[in-house]
Amino acid sequence: MSAPAKKTAKRAAAPKPTAGTGQPATGAKKAAAAKKVPAAPKKSAAPKASARPESHTALVRRARKINRELAEVYPYAHPELDFENPFQLLVATVMSAQTTDLRVNQTTPALFAAYPTPEDLAAANPEEVEELIRPTGFFRAKTRSIMGLAKALSEDFGGEVPGRLEDLVKLPGVGRKTAFVVLGNAFGRPGITVDTHFGRLVRRWKWTDETDPDKVEKAVGALFPKSDWTQLSHNVIFHGRRICHARKPACGACPIAPLCPAYGEGETDPQKAEKLLKYEKGGFPGQRLKPPQSYLDAGGLPAPPLAGREA
């Protein structure tokens, strides 16, 4: 081998120096150098932080994708108050303030059996109505509201629930949220129902920072076509009750975690998060005594009657 070739071979075989030392990284020094190399970060379900604020177009796309994902998770999402006609839905919705839909559903069968029409309820003995709806809480104020709206329906609308927003909000105890529940689910007219679950989730998702329900309704409504509003409300409320809870969201079991700016506020461990799931997601009864067939087909269970155990 010629002299130049020998020099080339020696240079190729020589160990490379450790960065910052100029010394060969051999044996223990190689191992020490390897330990200083940081491990690759683990992938997280959380969305990547962006240095730039989200544009309106990007927000619309993300919001609509979230709704599509929720529609796949909850294809059976529905209003969780039992009702057979617009009058029953209106009364049940007014009664649902400051209590659960489950408790209302456990209470209304006896109420509607005793007073099946607005005329019957308007002529009732207030003390008897109070006793029937006592389990829902605030029963005196609720009695005044439901008897007042029953009287208004009897005197002003021929005993029928009106199908217009401007008429509904004139009834005692009826605001925009209640009106949209009735319009969307009894009359098929689109509306956004901003209850506590809906408001909490849309703020977590950064769809809006508004806290006033009317402003939330307007802001979120601008992100979706009007035809989506009623079902969007069901999808969001279902998710809020089952997975994205107020105190401890089950982030590790959330199907829209990659789209959620608030990922990590709750339990991220999948096994621990699974234990937080409620209603049919956790194998428990839902809110309705008489749920839609689609809900039952999906594995949902009817709620127990008033005397039964509340899940």
Side-chain angles (χ1 to χ4, degrees):
M1 184 181 293
S2 63
K6 290 181 179 179
K7 290 182 179 180
T8 303
K10 286 181 180 180
R11 285 197 298 269
K16 294 181 180 180
T18 303
T21 65
Q23 299 298 320
T26 58
K29 289 185 179 181
K30 279 186 177 180
K35 289 181 180 179
K36 294 180 181 180
V37 179
K42 294 182 179 180
K43 291 184 178 180
S44 169
K48 295 180 179 179
S50 175
R52 294 181 298 177
E54 187 175 37
S55 68
H56 179 72
T57 299
L59 171 60
V60 170
R61 289 174 178 169
R62 182 170 63 85
R64 294 185 181 185
K65 186 173 183 180
I66 286 176
N67 188 41
R68 290 194 299 272
E69 295 283 345
L70 293 180
E72 292 183 6
V73 177
Y74 310 107
Y76 46 77
H78 58 273
E80 294 193 87
L81 288 168
D82 283 324
F83 69 98
E84 296 178 357
N85 54 57
F87 171 63
Q88 290 187 0
L89 179 57
L90 178 60
V91 170
T93 305
V94 171
M95 287 174 54
S96 69
Q98 305 298 315
T99 190
T100 64
D101 287 354
L102 172 56
R103 180 55 71 190
V104 174
N105 292 336
Q106 293 171 324
T107 306
T108 51
L111 177 70
F112 294 140
Y115 312 108
T117 69
E119 291 81 3
D120 294 327
L121 184 56
N125 181 329
E127 292 182 357
E128 293 178 359
V129 175
E130 287 177 1
E131 192 60 32
L132 284 172
I133 70 170
R134 181 184 292 270
T136 67
F138 303 95
F139 56 91
R140 292 190 178 89
K142 291 179 181 180
T143 294
R144 289 193 294 271
S145 292
I146 64 176
M147 290 190 66
L149 70 84
K151 182 179 180 181
L153 291 176
S154 301
E155 296 179 352
D156 302 333
F157 297 98
E160 300 291 333
V161 176
R164 300 194 311 165
L165 175 66
E166 53 267 38
D167 292 329
L168 284 169
V169 295
K170 293 177 182 177
L171 299 172
V174 179
R176 290 178 67 87
K177 183 193 84 170
T178 297
F180 281 132
V181 169
V182 175
L183 290 173
N185 298 291
F187 292 98
R189 297 177 182 173
I192 292 178
T193 303
V194 184
D195 70 352
T196 55
H197 300 286
F198 191 95
R200 179 179 75 252
L201 266 62
V202 299
R203 285 188 288 274
R204 277 181 177 168
W205 296 336
K206 303 300 182 185
W207 291 4
T208 180
D209 292 327
E210 299 290 353
T211 56
D212 178 81
D214 291 351
K215 293 181 179 179
V216 171
E217 174 199 323
K218 183 177 180 180
V220 174
L223 303 177
F224 295 89
K226 193 172 183 179
S227 58
D228 288 352
W229 288 356
T230 299
Q231 193 57 44
L232 167 70
S233 300
H234 295 324
N235 294 342
V236 174
I237 293 170
F238 253 62
H239 191 61
R241 285 176 170 165
R242 286 151 178 77
I243 294 179
C244 195
H245 312 137
R247 295 184 180 179
K248 198 170 186 180
C251 294
C254 181
I256 60 166
L259 300 169
C260 180
Y263 175 84
E265 287 187 8
E267 179 58 66
T268 57
D269 180 86
Q271 292 183 337
K272 293 180 180 179
E274 188 174 357
K275 295 179 180 179
L276 300 174
L277 301 183
K278 295 183 178 180
Y279 306 122
E280 79 287 339
K281 294 298 180 186
F284 300 107
Q287 299 265 293
R288 293 184 65 164
L289 277 71
K290 298 179 180 179
Q293 188 60 45
S294 60
Y295 180 77
L296 298 174
D297 291 343
L301 301 173
L306 183 59
R309 176 182 59 84
E310 184 170 349

